[in-house]
Amino acid sequence: MSKITTELLLERAVPRSTRLRKIETLNLSKLQLKTGDLDPRLFSRLRHLQKLDLSDNLLDKFPNSLTLPDLRVLNCNNNQLEDVTALKQFPLLEELTYENNVYLTPNDDYKVMFLLQNLRLLNGKDITKLANHVRHVNSRKLTSKVTAHWEKFFRDQLPEKYTAEHVKSIKKKFLKSVQTHVVYGPSSLSEFTRWRVKMIAEEFLASSLGLEENTDPEPEEEIGENEEESTESPREVAEDVGQVTVTPSKRKRNHATPSSGNKRSKSQANTEEEAALKPLHFLQCHSKGNSREDFKTQLWSCVFEPLLDCGARKDPIVSSSRTVATCGGESVCLIDCETGMVLKKYKVATEEFFSVAWTTLTMVISNSRKKTHNILAAAGRRGIVKLIHVAADFCYGEIKAHKKPIATICFSPTHETHLFTASYDKRIALWDIGIPDCDYNFKASQLLVLEALSIPLRIALVPTCPDQYLLAGCEEGCFTWNIKLDKEQKSRPFEAIFQFPDDEGDMTTSHRVDGLAFLNDDVVVSKSSKPGCIYVWSWSRSFDGKGKACQRTLSAVILAELEWSTTDMSYLTLSTCPAKEYVFCGDEKGSVWMYNLSNYTTAWSTAKGKRSDKRILPTQILKWPELRANGEQLTEVLINNVITDPTFTYLVALTSVNITAIWKKS
């Protein structure tokens, strides 16, 4: 029997009523209501209902025929809603709130803004201006693109004298094609775009070609505690960033490295041409207090969001994510690389964030159903790891991992809940962050502590055995630990320390390693600030896992040296793009050094002889453009970090002057 009866409705009316048709305000919150409890036949008698509160229930959707013709205000906070399209049955709705429905995304915000033409307030914010843009400008742009797609690819497929059957025969192909190829706006809104494109395409076929429009389309397939903390909506962030976005006054062309008389091979020239990059955006989105005068906040870490196998954030139009998480100062930002839009900003006023990392968790929702969601971990000076559920725009927990600052963090590629934190306390800890339940309850536990002799700056799990060995670049050397969890010892010393050549060519273990990454399963790339060059070396040939003695000193088997800046500036880290066999490293002049090593990796995998005495020159040096802010040119720019997405479509550089720079491969 349904929980909702006539008597309950009369009792819950505000004020209480004696007849259903007289009720104008109704409070049905905190009744543990499910979708099946909303009986359309009973609700159809609420002809004059204007305000309805359904908050704090268990609704996952709305029935399609509640028939509330006069409804103006609806509160659905704290439910389990997964879709908003059924809200179109309330055309007079002016105020709508559905906060804390974790499966709703910004795509759903845009859907309701389009469907509800009278909507003024969404989740307590005035959306009039944005809604008009969605309903008119967005629709006009998409309609133009849909029409152009038809004219270019499908119009000629119809015979001169066509029938409705002819049109129907290509409808399915056209709808699939147009949803795949018509792109507009940020990738974070790609689900909304596909939804609107399908709608517009069906309207176009109906009006232009006489095909009956699908007026009741099938639902879309699913693709997929501290007071100083705050999150900002995309609109709020856009307003802040819009005030402080830095644009280049003059953009220099990309230059190859100025080599003295060295001729590049044909393959090198072709490679450089293929890697041509155009500058897209220069953003000042980490400013303290959103000040446009802040050119001192240092930006430290960035990582691209992984694509989900399913879920609303996946964009099938691109083969790699466009969304990158960046951190520096008091904030963490999510940026769409194509549009330059800051999708979300998370701030902790007393924090300075040094590192961010992504993982994908399979979370149990109602009725034992499961969904995958991307979780972002962020850590820094306070030694605390913040855990952020990005789809819900919610920091759901924290782990007090260390008493001193955390330099860097990374997730295990084989255990999605295993997080490594490297701290200034000279320890690397392994945590199981757990999986939050539907109420965001979670339990974190420490699994392992690795003792270092100096501060760990960069960490990397060995690709061939990520559950057994971790490599770390530290203030005083490069170390490795056995991290296998079947061992009883929970606190472990390092297993080996690696020697590298110093300025005089002698092997030494005493040097700062502030850049470390794997190029492939075996090849390691590391940077020591002292020698001023980048080493490429073999993990398997340098480390013999069969040795039993702990704290051994091993000589790194150097495969090559990459020529890099002669600066002694520290903490300018490097990165790799394994799929394209590239290495990237910024310098003290705002340039990005790029090395395409695809011509060398095959030889390295088989060669047993000595390394070449000649250093490998960069394939390309990406010069910093001339930027002006407040009428003055930005100088003395350090590139603290530079990464690309896995397909090398976008390149993101973080600087010492609070600028996030984004290039796109042309």
Side-chain angles (χ1 to χ4, degrees), residues 379-397:
R381 189 169 297 280
R382 297 171 66 194
I384 296 173
V385 178
K386 296 288 186 179
L387 300 173
I388 305 170
H389 184 183
V390 291
D393 296 330
F394 180 50
C395 177
Y396 68 84

mmCIF file with all atom_site columns, all heavy atoms in Angstrom, residues 379-397:
data_model
loop_
_atom_site.group_PDB
_atom_site.id
_atom_site.type_symbol
_atom_site.label_atom_id
_atom_site.label_alt_id
_atom_site.label_comp_id
_atom_site.label_asym_id
_atom_site.label_entity_id
_atom_site.label_seq_id
_atom_site.pdbx_PDB_ins_code
_atom_site.Cartn_x
_atom_site.Cartn_y
_atom_site.Cartn_z
_atom_site.occupancy
_atom_site.B_iso_or_equiv
_atom_site.pdbx_formal_charge
_atom_site.auth_seq_id
_atom_site.auth_comp_id
_atom_site.auth_asym_id
_atom_site.auth_atom_id
_atom_site.pdbx_PDB_model_num
ATOM 1   N N   . ALA A 1 379 ? 46.080 17.481 -1.853  1.00 0.00 ? 379 ALA A N   1
ATOM 2   C CA  . ALA A 1 379 ? 46.835 17.562 -0.599  1.00 0.00 ? 379 ALA A CA  1
ATOM 3   C C   . ALA A 1 379 ? 47.887 18.651 -0.705  1.00 0.00 ? 379 ALA A C   1
ATOM 4   O O   . ALA A 1 379 ? 48.257 19.085 -1.796  1.00 0.00 ? 379 ALA A O   1
ATOM 5   C CB  . ALA A 1 379 ? 47.488 16.220 -0.277  1.00 0.00 ? 379 ALA A CB  1
ATOM 6   N N   . GLY A 1 380 ? 48.374 19.082 0.470   1.00 0.00 ? 380 GLY A N   1
ATOM 7   C CA  . GLY A 1 380 ? 49.379 20.129 0.457   1.00 0.00 ? 380 GLY A CA  1
ATOM 8   C C   . GLY A 1 380 ? 49.980 20.415 1.811   1.00 0.00 ? 380 GLY A C   1
ATOM 9   O O   . GLY A 1 380 ? 50.277 19.509 2.586   1.00 0.00 ? 380 GLY A O   1
ATOM 10  N N   . ARG A 1 381 ? 50.109 21.710 2.118   1.00 0.00 ? 381 ARG A N   1
ATOM 11  C CA  . ARG A 1 381 ? 50.895 22.164 3.266   1.00 0.00 ? 381 ARG A CA  1
ATOM 12  C C   . ARG A 1 381 ? 50.376 21.657 4.603   1.00 0.00 ? 381 ARG A C   1
ATOM 13  O O   . ARG A 1 381 ? 51.143 21.423 5.537   1.00 0.00 ? 381 ARG A O   1
ATOM 14  C CB  . ARG A 1 381 ? 50.952 23.697 3.276   1.00 0.00 ? 381 ARG A CB  1
ATOM 15  C CG  . ARG A 1 381 ? 51.912 24.258 4.301   1.00 0.00 ? 381 ARG A CG  1
ATOM 16  C CD  . ARG A 1 381 ? 52.131 25.746 4.108   1.00 0.00 ? 381 ARG A CD  1
ATOM 17  N NE  . ARG A 1 381 ? 52.752 26.052 2.834   1.00 0.00 ? 381 ARG A NE  1
ATOM 18  C CZ  . ARG A 1 381 ? 54.060 25.929 2.587   1.00 0.00 ? 381 ARG A CZ  1
ATOM 19  N NH1 . ARG A 1 381 ? 54.866 25.480 3.525   1.00 0.00 ? 381 ARG A NH1 1
ATOM 20  N NH2 . ARG A 1 381 ? 54.548 26.248 1.397   1.00 0.00 ? 381 ARG A NH2 1
ATOM 21  N N   . ARG A 1 382 ? 49.075 21.450 4.751   1.00 0.00 ? 382 ARG A N   1
ATOM 22  C CA  . ARG A 1 382 ? 48.512 21.042 6.043   1.00 0.00 ? 382 ARG A CA  1
ATOM 23  C C   . ARG A 1 382 ? 48.653 19.547 6.310   1.00 0.00 ? 382 ARG A C   1
ATOM 24  O O   . ARG A 1 382 ? 48.302 19.083 7.392   1.00 0.00 ? 382 ARG A O   1
ATOM 25  C CB  . ARG A 1 382 ? 47.035 21.440 6.111   1.00 0.00 ? 382 ARG A CB  1
ATOM 26  C CG  . ARG A 1 382 ? 46.802 22.944 6.053   1.00 0.00 ? 382 ARG A CG  1
ATOM 27  C CD  . ARG A 1 382 ? 45.332 23.269 5.898   1.00 0.00 ? 382 ARG A CD  1
ATOM 28  N NE  . ARG A 1 382 ? 44.567 22.872 7.078   1.00 0.00 ? 382 ARG A NE  1
ATOM 29  C CZ  . ARG A 1 382 ? 43.239 22.789 7.102   1.00 0.00 ? 382 ARG A CZ  1
ATOM 30  N NH1 . ARG A 1 382 ? 42.548 23.032 6.003   1.00 0.00 ? 382 ARG A NH1 1
ATOM 31  N NH2 . ARG A 1 382 ? 42.616 22.440 8.208   1.00 0.00 ? 382 ARG A NH2 1
ATOM 32  N N   . GLY A 1 383 ? 49.150 18.774 5.340   1.00 0.00 ? 383 GLY A N   1
ATOM 33  C CA  . GLY A 1 383 ? 49.313 17.341 5.549   1.00 0.00 ? 383 GLY A CA  1
ATOM 34  C C   . GLY A 1 383 ? 48.015 16.571 5.510   1.00 0.00 ? 383 GLY A C   1
ATOM 35  O O   . GLY A 1 383 ? 47.956 15.418 5.943   1.00 0.00 ? 383 GLY A O   1
ATOM 36  N N   . ILE A 1 384 ? 46.968 17.195 4.983   1.00 0.00 ? 384 ILE A N   1
ATOM 37  C CA  . ILE A 1 384 ? 45.635 16.589 4.931   1.00 0.00 ? 384 ILE A CA  1
ATOM 38  C C   . ILE A 1 384 ? 45.266 16.290 3.482   1.00 0.00 ? 384 ILE A C   1
ATOM 39  O O   . ILE A 1 384 ? 45.493 17.119 2.596   1.00 0.00 ? 384 ILE A O   1
ATOM 40  C CB  . ILE A 1 384 ? 44.581 17.529 5.557   1.00 0.00 ? 384 ILE A CB  1
ATOM 41  C CG1 . ILE A 1 384 ? 44.870 17.728 7.048   1.00 0.00 ? 384 ILE A CG1 1
ATOM 42  C CG2 . ILE A 1 384 ? 43.169 16.983 5.360   1.00 0.00 ? 384 ILE A CG2 1
ATOM 43  C CD1 . ILE A 1 384 ? 43.988 18.759 7.706   1.00 0.00 ? 384 ILE A CD1 1
ATOM 44  N N   . VAL A 1 385 ? 44.695 15.120 3.241   1.00 0.00 ? 385 VAL A N   1
ATOM 45  C CA  . VAL A 1 385 ? 44.193 14.765 1.914   1.00 0.00 ? 385 VAL A CA  1
ATOM 46  C C   . VAL A 1 385 ? 42.696 15.048 1.868   1.00 0.00 ? 385 VAL A C   1
ATOM 47  O O   . VAL A 1 385 ? 41.928 14.532 2.693   1.00 0.00 ? 385 VAL A O   1
ATOM 48  C CB  . VAL A 1 385 ? 44.443 13.273 1.600   1.00 0.00 ? 385 VAL A CB  1
ATOM 49  C CG1 . VAL A 1 385 ? 43.856 12.919 0.229   1.00 0.00 ? 385 VAL A CG1 1
ATOM 50  C CG2 . VAL A 1 385 ? 45.929 12.960 1.639   1.00 0.00 ? 385 VAL A CG2 1
ATOM 51  N N   . LYS A 1 386 ? 42.261 15.872 0.929   1.00 0.00 ? 386 LYS A N   1
ATOM 52  C CA  . LYS A 1 386 ? 40.845 16.146 0.707   1.00 0.00 ? 386 LYS A CA  1
ATOM 53  C C   . LYS A 1 386 ? 40.336 15.210 -0.392  1.00 0.00 ? 386 LYS A C   1
ATOM 54  O O   . LYS A 1 386 ? 40.999 15.024 -1.419  1.00 0.00 ? 386 LYS A O   1
ATOM 55  C CB  . LYS A 1 386 ? 40.632 17.599 0.271   1.00 0.00 ? 386 LYS A CB  1
ATOM 56  C CG  . LYS A 1 386 ? 41.031 18.626 1.335   1.00 0.00 ? 386 LYS A CG  1
ATOM 57  C CD  . LYS A 1 386 ? 40.062 18.644 2.491   1.00 0.00 ? 386 LYS A CD  1
ATOM 58  C CE  . LYS A 1 386 ? 40.384 19.777 3.461   1.00 0.00 ? 386 LYS A CE  1
ATOM 59  N NZ  . LYS A 1 386 ? 39.440 19.829 4.577   1.00 0.00 ? 386 LYS A NZ  1
ATOM 60  N N   . LEU A 1 387 ? 39.160 14.628 -0.189  1.00 0.00 ? 387 LEU A N   1
ATOM 61  C CA  . LEU A 1 387 ? 38.551 13.724 -1.158  1.00 0.00 ? 387 LEU A CA  1
ATOM 62  C C   . LEU A 1 387 ? 37.306 14.390 -1.726  1.00 0.00 ? 387 LEU A C   1
ATOM 63  O O   . LEU A 1 387 ? 36.367 14.711 -0.985  1.00 0.00 ? 387 LEU A O   1
ATOM 64  C CB  . LEU A 1 387 ? 38.196 12.395 -0.490  1.00 0.00 ? 387 LEU A CB  1
ATOM 65  C CG  . LEU A 1 387 ? 39.393 11.627 0.109   1.00 0.00 ? 387 LEU A CG  1
ATOM 66  C CD1 . LEU A 1 387 ? 38.909 10.426 0.893   1.00 0.00 ? 387 LEU A CD1 1
ATOM 67  C CD2 . LEU A 1 387 ? 40.359 11.202 -0.987  1.00 0.00 ? 387 LEU A CD2 1
ATOM 68  N N   . ILE A 1 388 ? 37.299 14.592 -3.049  1.00 0.00 ? 388 ILE A N   1
ATOM 69  C CA  . ILE A 1 388 ? 36.235 15.366 -3.700  1.00 0.00 ? 388 ILE A CA  1
ATOM 70  C C   . ILE A 1 388 ? 35.503 14.500 -4.716  1.00 0.00 ? 388 ILE A C   1
ATOM 71  O O   . ILE A 1 388 ? 36.120 13.930 -5.616  1.00 0.00 ? 388 ILE A O   1
ATOM 72  C CB  . ILE A 1 388 ? 36.816 16.606 -4.414  1.00 0.00 ? 388 ILE A CB  1
ATOM 73  C CG1 . ILE A 1 388 ? 37.636 17.450 -3.426  1.00 0.00 ? 388 ILE A CG1 1
ATOM 74  C CG2 . ILE A 1 388 ? 35.704 17.437 -5.042  1.00 0.00 ? 388 ILE A CG2 1
ATOM 75  C CD1 . ILE A 1 388 ? 38.440 18.553 -4.087  1.00 0.00 ? 388 ILE A CD1 1
ATOM 76  N N   . HIS A 1 389 ? 34.181 14.389 -4.556  1.00 0.00 ? 389 HIS A N   1
ATOM 77  C CA  . HIS A 1 389 ? 33.335 13.724 -5.546  1.00 0.00 ? 389 HIS A CA  1
ATOM 78  C C   . HIS A 1 389 ? 32.940 14.792 -6.568  1.00 0.00 ? 389 HIS A C   1
ATOM 79  O O   . HIS A 1 389 ? 32.055 15.609 -6.327  1.00 0.00 ? 389 HIS A O   1
ATOM 80  C CB  . HIS A 1 389 ? 32.098 13.133 -4.865  1.00 0.00 ? 389 HIS A CB  1
ATOM 81  C CG  . HIS A 1 389 ? 31.222 12.351 -5.784  1.00 0.00 ? 389 HIS A CG  1
ATOM 82  N ND1 . HIS A 1 389 ? 30.037 11.786 -5.381  1.00 0.00 ? 389 HIS A ND1 1
ATOM 83  C CD2 . HIS A 1 389 ? 31.334 12.035 -7.096  1.00 0.00 ? 389 HIS A CD2 1
ATOM 84  C CE1 . HIS A 1 389 ? 29.480 11.159 -6.390  1.00 0.00 ? 389 HIS A CE1 1
ATOM 85  N NE2 . HIS A 1 389 ? 30.249 11.311 -7.442  1.00 0.00 ? 389 HIS A NE2 1
ATOM 86  N N   . VAL A 1 390 ? 33.608 14.800 -7.710  1.00 0.00 ? 390 VAL A N   1
ATOM 87  C CA  . VAL A 1 390 ? 33.478 15.924 -8.636  1.00 0.00 ? 390 VAL A CA  1
ATOM 88  C C   . VAL A 1 390 ? 32.089 16.030 -9.247  1.00 0.00 ? 390 VAL A C   1
ATOM 89  O O   . VAL A 1 390 ? 31.581 17.131 -9.472  1.00 0.00 ? 390 VAL A O   1
ATOM 90  C CB  . VAL A 1 390 ? 34.550 15.848 -9.739  1.00 0.00 ? 390 VAL A CB  1
ATOM 91  C CG1 . VAL A 1 390 ? 35.924 16.097 -9.168  1.00 0.00 ? 390 VAL A CG1 1
ATOM 92  C CG2 . VAL A 1 390 ? 34.527 14.511 -10.454 1.00 0.00 ? 390 VAL A CG2 1
ATOM 93  N N   . ALA A 1 391 ? 31.440 14.905 -9.551  1.00 0.00 ? 391 ALA A N   1
ATOM 94  C CA  . ALA A 1 391 ? 30.121 14.967 -10.169 1.00 0.00 ? 391 ALA A CA  1
ATOM 95  C C   . ALA A 1 391 ? 29.109 15.605 -9.229  1.00 0.00 ? 391 ALA A C   1
ATOM 96  O O   . ALA A 1 391 ? 28.165 16.260 -9.664  1.00 0.00 ? 391 ALA A O   1
ATOM 97  C CB  . ALA A 1 391 ? 29.652 13.570 -10.576 1.00 0.00 ? 391 ALA A CB  1
ATOM 98  N N   . ALA A 1 392 ? 29.310 15.410 -7.925  1.00 0.00 ? 392 ALA A N   1
ATOM 99  C CA  . ALA A 1 392 ? 28.403 15.982 -6.938  1.00 0.00 ? 392 ALA A CA  1
ATOM 100 C C   . ALA A 1 392 ? 28.890 17.334 -6.437  1.00 0.00 ? 392 ALA A C   1
ATOM 101 O O   . ALA A 1 392 ? 28.206 17.978 -5.642  1.00 0.00 ? 392 ALA A O   1
ATOM 102 C CB  . ALA A 1 392 ? 28.255 15.026 -5.754  1.00 0.00 ? 392 ALA A CB  1
ATOM 103 N N   . ASP A 1 393 ? 30.075 17.789 -6.927  1.00 0.00 ? 393 ASP A N   1
ATOM 104 C CA  . ASP A 1 393 ? 30.676 19.043 -6.458  1.00 0.00 ? 393 ASP A CA  1
ATOM 105 C C   . ASP A 1 393 ? 30.745 19.072 -4.936  1.00 0.00 ? 393 ASP A C   1
ATOM 106 O O   . ASP A 1 393 ? 30.325 20.035 -4.289  1.00 0.00 ? 393 ASP A O   1
ATOM 107 C CB  . ASP A 1 393 ? 29.865 20.244 -6.968  1.00 0.00 ? 393 ASP A CB  1
ATOM 108 C CG  . ASP A 1 393 ? 29.899 20.354 -8.473  1.00 0.00 ? 393 ASP A CG  1
ATOM 109 O OD1 . ASP A 1 393 ? 30.906 19.941 -9.066  1.00 0.00 ? 393 ASP A OD1 1
ATOM 110 O OD2 . ASP A 1 393 ? 28.913 20.830 -9.052  1.00 0.00 ? 393 ASP A OD2 1
ATOM 111 N N   . PHE A 1 394 ? 31.304 18.005 -4.367  1.00 0.00 ? 394 PHE A N   1
ATOM 112 C CA  . PHE A 1 394 ? 31.224 17.842 -2.921  1.00 0.00 ? 394 PHE A CA  1
ATOM 113 C C   . PHE A 1 394 ? 32.505 17.233 -2.377  1.00 0.00 ? 394 PHE A C   1
ATOM 114 O O   . PHE A 1 394 ? 32.925 16.161 -2.821  1.00 0.00 ? 394 PHE A O   1
ATOM 115 C CB  . PHE A 1 394 ? 30.023 16.937 -2.591  1.00 0.00 ? 394 PHE A CB  1
ATOM 116 C CG  . PHE A 1 394 ? 29.810 16.686 -1.124  1.00 0.00 ? 394 PHE A CG  1
ATOM 117 C CD1 . PHE A 1 394 ? 29.779 17.727 -0.207  1.00 0.00 ? 394 PHE A CD1 1
ATOM 118 C CD2 . PHE A 1 394 ? 29.634 15.393 -0.652  1.00 0.00 ? 394 PHE A CD2 1
ATOM 119 C CE1 . PHE A 1 394 ? 29.577 17.494 1.145   1.00 0.00 ? 394 PHE A CE1 1
ATOM 120 C CE2 . PHE A 1 394 ? 29.427 15.142 0.695   1.00 0.00 ? 394 PHE A CE2 1
ATOM 121 C CZ  . PHE A 1 394 ? 29.403 16.197 1.593   1.00 0.00 ? 394 PHE A CZ  1
ATOM 122 N N   . CYS A 1 395 ? 33.138 17.919 -1.422  1.00 0.00 ? 395 CYS A N   1
ATOM 123 C CA  . CYS A 1 395 ? 34.266 17.347 -0.700  1.00 0.00 ? 395 CYS A CA  1
ATOM 124 C C   . CYS A 1 395 ? 33.693 16.524 0.448   1.00 0.00 ? 395 CYS A C   1
ATOM 125 O O   . CYS A 1 395 ? 33.216 17.077 1.439   1.00 0.00 ? 395 CYS A O   1
ATOM 126 C CB  . CYS A 1 395 ? 35.190 18.445 -0.180  1.00 0.00 ? 395 CYS A CB  1
ATOM 127 S SG  . CYS A 1 395 ? 36.570 17.805 0.789   1.00 0.00 ? 395 CYS A SG  1
ATOM 128 N N   . TYR A 1 396 ? 33.739 15.210 0.303   1.00 0.00 ? 396 TYR A N   1
ATOM 129 C CA  . TYR A 1 396 ? 33.015 14.364 1.246   1.00 0.00 ? 396 TYR A CA  1
ATOM 130 C C   . TYR A 1 396 ? 33.857 13.895 2.417   1.00 0.00 ? 396 TYR A C   1
ATOM 131 O O   . TYR A 1 396 ? 33.327 13.315 3.370   1.00 0.00 ? 396 TYR A O   1
ATOM 132 C CB  . TYR A 1 396 ? 32.409 13.149 0.535   1.00 0.00 ? 396 TYR A CB  1
ATOM 133 C CG  . TYR A 1 396 ? 33.392 12.133 0.020   1.00 0.00 ? 396 TYR A CG  1
ATOM 134 C CD1 . TYR A 1 396 ? 33.899 11.133 0.842   1.00 0.00 ? 396 TYR A CD1 1
ATOM 135 C CD2 . TYR A 1 396 ? 33.814 12.149 -1.306  1.00 0.00 ? 396 TYR A CD2 1
ATOM 136 C CE1 . TYR A 1 396 ? 34.788 10.192 0.366   1.00 0.00 ? 396 TYR A CE1 1
ATOM 137 C CE2 . TYR A 1 396 ? 34.708 11.204 -1.788  1.00 0.00 ? 396 TYR A CE2 1
ATOM 138 C CZ  . TYR A 1 396 ? 35.187 10.230 -0.953  1.00 0.00 ? 396 TYR A CZ  1
ATOM 139 O OH  . TYR A 1 396 ? 36.079 9.293  -1.424  1.00 0.00 ? 396 TYR A OH  1
ATOM 140 N N   . GLY A 1 397 ? 35.159 14.154 2.408   1.00 0.00 ? 397 GLY A N   1
ATOM 141 C CA  . GLY A 1 397 ? 35.954 13.690 3.537   1.00 0.00 ? 397 GLY A CA  1
ATOM 142 C C   . GLY A 1 397 ? 37.388 14.121 3.451   1.00 0.00 ? 397 GLY A C   1
ATOM 143 O O   . GLY A 1 397 ? 37.834 14.716 2.462   1.00 0.00 ? 397 GLY A O   1
#
